[in-house]
């Protein structure tokens, strides 16, 4: 889990290199307000070219809080429609969902579908305290990988062979930045 300073440093480099992914998960119990503030800075950067919180309302950014009733499937579908619209001012349509771990299960599935096949101009940021609560499908994937690693490692250690130290992800959901880090952290790989 990166500190806010590390997060900003990494994103500045990504912005300089024009190498942003289309979706990110910011997770951890501490500093959720700071992560939201940074997401607002990013959204402002796309419209005003300044990595700071701006004073004017952003045309190409939508901020939702799943804790305040914005966690249902209808809201997520509307957010998906927002992302599919052409940006008005910037090159990106930015969707930030705070407390995304509180989305309903149908809403979480809809967000995953958007993350699998996002519009080219989309930037999606999910801010969660506990990634374990976000999308049982992601947790199920982690559990399945953990089961396979445990199985393989118990067999290979007995035979004196190598153990699994790295996994390679492929498929549409791999584009969700934060997923590899989440899996690395929770699996210890």
């Amino acid at each position: 889990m990166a500190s806010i300073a590390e997060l900003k440093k990494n994103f500045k480099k990504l912005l300089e290199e024009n190498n942003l992914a289309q979706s990110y998960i910011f997770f951890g119990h501490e500093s959720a307000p700071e992560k939201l503030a940074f997401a607002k800075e990013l959204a402002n950067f796309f419209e005003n070219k300044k990595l700071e919180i701006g004073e004017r309302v952003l045309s190409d950014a939508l901020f939702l809080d799943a804790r305040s009733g914005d966690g249902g499937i209808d809201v997520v579908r509307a957010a998906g429609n927002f992302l599919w619209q052409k940006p008005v001012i910037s090159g990106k349509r930015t969707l930030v969902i705070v407390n995304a771990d509180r989305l309903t299960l149908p809403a979480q599935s809809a967000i995953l579908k958007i993350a699998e096949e996002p519009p080219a101009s989309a930037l999606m940021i999910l801010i969660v305290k506990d990634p374990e609560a976000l999308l049982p499908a992601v947790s199920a994937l982690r559990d399945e990988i953990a089961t396979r690693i445990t199985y393989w490692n118990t067999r290979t250690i007995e035979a004196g062979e190598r153990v699994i130290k790295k996994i390679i992800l492929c498929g549409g959901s791999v584009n969700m930045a934060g997923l590899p880090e989440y899996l690395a952290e929770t699996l210890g790989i």
Side-chain angles (χ1 to χ4, degrees):
M1 186 168 16
S3 70
I4 294 299
E6 291 173 300
L7 196 63
K8 287 184 177 186
K9 178 183 170 189
N10 292 337
F11 269 86
K12 283 180 183 178
K13 183 177 179 183
L14 290 170
L15 290 168
E16 288 169 5
E17 297 172 352
N18 195 27
N19 199 20
L20 280 178
Q22 290 181 302
S23 48
Y24 292 89
I25 300 173
F26 295 172
F27 65 92
H29 290 280
E30 58 285 328
S31 68
E34 291 176 348
K35 291 174 186 167
L36 174 59
F38 179 62
K40 288 180 178 180
E41 290 175 12
L42 277 174
N44 187 61
F45 175 81
F46 294 121
E47 291 192 32
N48 301 309
K49 305 300 178 215
K50 294 179 183 177
L51 195 56
E52 60 188 33
I53 295 179
E55 293 182 15
R56 68 178 192 82
V57 175
L58 300 174
S59 300
D60 292 325
L62 178 61
F63 296 88
L64 302 173
D65 188 340
R67 195 173 45 191
S68 65
D70 291 342
I73 184 69
D74 293 335
V75 172
V76 172
R77 285 184 181 143
N81 290 337
F82 166 83
L83 287 174
W84 278 100
Q85 295 172 9
K86 184 177 179 182
V88 176
I89 295 174
S90 69
K92 296 274 185 200
R93 296 284 277 182
T94 304
L95 170 65
V96 179
I97 302 178
V98 183
N99 298 305
D101 45 344
R102 297 210 176 178
L103 291 168
T104 64
L105 290 178
Q108 289 182 24
S109 295
I111 282 292
L112 181 58
K113 182 65 178 161
I114 294 168
E116 286 175 350
E117 299 176 23
S121 61
L123 174 63
M124 200 167 56
I125 299 172
L126 305 179
I127 301 175
V128 301
K129 289 181 182 173
D130 182 9
E132 296 288 326
L134 180 63
L135 213 53
V138 172
S139 296
L141 172 65
R142 190 235 22 252
D143 293 344
E144 182 66 24
I145 293 170
T147 299
R148 302 296 176 200
I149 290 171
T150 300
Y151 175 83
W152 180 260
N153 286 347
T154 57
R155 296 327 180 253
T156 56
I157 290 173
E158 293 169 1
E161 297 176 21
R162 295 181 288 184
V163 297
I164 295 175
K165 296 179 184 174
K166 177 169 87 171
I167 59 174
I168 298 172
L169 302 173
C170 59
S173 297
V174 172
N175 293 325
M176 181 175 275
L179 178 62
E181 292 83 0
Y182 164 71
L183 292 174
E185 184 174 310
T186 58
L187 294 171
I189 292 182

